[in-house]
Amino acid sequence: MAIILNNPVSLRSRSSASSSSPSSSSSRSILNSRDSHTFFHRRCRFPRRTTLNSFSAPGEAATLLHQFNPRIPIEQALTPPSSWYTDPAFLALELDRVFYRGWQAVGYTEQVKDPRDFFTGRLGNVEFVVCRDNSGKLHAFHNVCRHHASLLAYGSGQKSCFVCPYHAWTYGLDGALLKATRITGIKDFSITEFGLIPLCIATWGPFVLLNIDNETSPQHEADNKTVENEWLGSSSDILSNGGINSSLSYVCRREYTIECNWKVFCDNYLDGGYHVPYAHRGLASGLELESYSTMMFERVSIQSCEGGTKGNEDDFDRLGSKALYAFIYPNFMINRYGPWMDTNLVLPLGARKCKVIFDYSLDASLKDDKAFIERSLEDSERVQMEDIMLCEGVQRGLESPAYCCGRYAPTVEMAMHHFHCLLHQDLSQ
């Protein structure tokens, strides 16, 4: 059940059997991804989770974690301490217990709509590649050659196979090792056991999701209903009925590198529109801020606001009659307004740096209206520049000895408090 709250302002801003006579060019592997995944964990001599560099000092991260108490009501609660936003050990804990567990949005189905399409990405120290094979099946793998760890693919596009740029080991789009060059004389090696290491993949609407958790066996593309329940919970119907679907036309992508902790950007998004009338006056003029409301679900918060009158002499209106802003924990935001949908994916690059990826989609009837698209993107860019200035200023303040903890504005910052409580819950496990 959702918790619904009304507020006075609005928001906007994842067998070692040997070959008796190995050759430099081997036939196609018959090993499937599940077997390669199993072999990988049987042969590798390191823990199943190798992502948390701060395990050598777990007490330090635990101390930082418990400086926030999620049981205290928002009216009395302190915000998390500044160390949550500045300490590299705390970020390592977040990567291991938040980003490397559960479903994470990583891209769009539009990027892999045709056979041989692929795109790459990085989450923490996990390099991945998503591709669609010749039969149309969707796959995801660690984007790492099994020979000497070179990255295999870069960017996005189309490939018939993945050829390592280092020593030309070649993999099929199903992850099978097709060719291992110059391995004459090698012992205790089977080409069928050195395919790419697979990852769990799923789709919901226009989005591609990955589950990096090593405890989850990527036997096949995950069941959509199960993924929907795990990722969106009881908010899924509201999002589907709110126009978040695959019917829109993809327009473009923009990326921003911001000098702030990833949570600073999320907090800014989740402050209940508190900052909008002060920092985004152009945006505020197009919204009825007094109609703002917030609904909170298991791992999602949805904020909405009625559109206002910009007072322009022309008919330009990118915001429409209602705006919906959905935050899907931990780092994905969906903004649906007028004919537009844009998404914001926040990726940590360090304790004080993140990358935010904006993807824009538009109602198909307007996809050829270049003037409308250009002007809309200009307005959006202005808001992003304003938010970047705010976020980088907050990060500098968090690093000041003058600040430790703050307070919540109880009538507007409920979604932010919800986010912090979810983080504490996951980090405590």
Side-chain angles (χ1 to χ4, degrees), residues 236-245 324 336-338 340-341:
S236 59
D237 286 344
I238 293 177
L239 295 180
S240 296
N241 296 331
I244 297 172
N245 52 53
L324 180 151
R336 189 70 170 92
Y337 48 94
W340 285 98
M341 179 177 76

Side-chain angles (χ1 to χ4, degrees), residues 128-325:
F128 63 83
V129 57
V130 173
C131 62
R132 195 174 293 278
D133 66 20
N134 289 325
S135 68
K137 184 178 180 181
L138 200 60
H139 300 272
F141 305 100
H142 287 274
N143 183 23
V144 179
C145 181
R146 298 293 302 280
H147 178 218
H148 284 323
S150 172
L151 296 188
L152 285 171
Y154 295 84
S156 61
Q158 278 209 329
K159 287 184 179 291
S160 59
C161 59
F162 296 114
V163 181
C164 179
Y166 200 2
H167 300 106
W169 282 35
T170 302
Y171 302 85
L173 300 181
D174 60 355
L177 178 59
L178 304 182
K179 183 173 70 173
T181 60
R182 304 183 70 172
I183 60 171
T184 302
I186 193 172
K187 296 181 179 180
D188 298 324
F189 173 82
S190 173
I191 199 170
T192 62
E193 294 171 339
F194 269 76
L196 298 179
I197 305 303
L199 294 165
C200 287
I201 188 167
T203 60
W204 187 88
F207 309 122
V208 175
L209 314 174
L210 294 186
N211 189 333
I212 298 172
D213 194 338
N214 286 338
E215 305 299 327
T216 304
S217 179
Q219 298 180 17
H220 48 72
E221 189 172 344
D223 175 71
N224 284 348
K225 192 63 179 177
T226 300
V227 172
E228 179 181 81
N229 290 335
E230 293 178 358
W231 193 48
L232 301 176
S234 55
S235 71
S236 59
D237 286 344
I238 293 177
L239 295 180
S240 296
N241 296 331
I244 297 172
N245 52 53
S246 303
S247 65
L248 302 177
S249 295
Y250 186 81
V251 176
C252 67
R253 166 173 288 189
R254 291 181 175 178
E255 298 184 0
Y256 305 87
T257 299
I258 308 176
E259 296 293 330
C260 72
N261 184 274
W262 70 278
K263 297 185 296 299
V264 171
F265 189 92
C266 294
D267 288 350
N268 177 70
Y269 186 93
L270 294 170
D271 79 349
Y274 197 170
H275 71 286
V276 171
Y278 313 110
H280 304 309
R281 295 189 177 183
L283 174 64
S285 69
L287 297 169
E288 295 289 347
L289 300 180
E290 66 278 2
S291 70
Y292 181 82
S293 66
T294 299
M295 296 184 292
M296 290 179 292
F297 301 84
E298 296 89 345
R299 298 168 78 80
V300 174
S301 60
I302 298 177
Q303 305 171 84
S304 59
C305 182
E306 301 298 323
T309 302
K310 293 182 69 68
N312 291 342
E313 294 181 359
D314 58 24
D315 294 327
F316 175 76
D317 179 16
R318 74 181 180 98
L319 298 178
S321 61
K322 186 173 184 178
L324 180 151
Y325 307 111

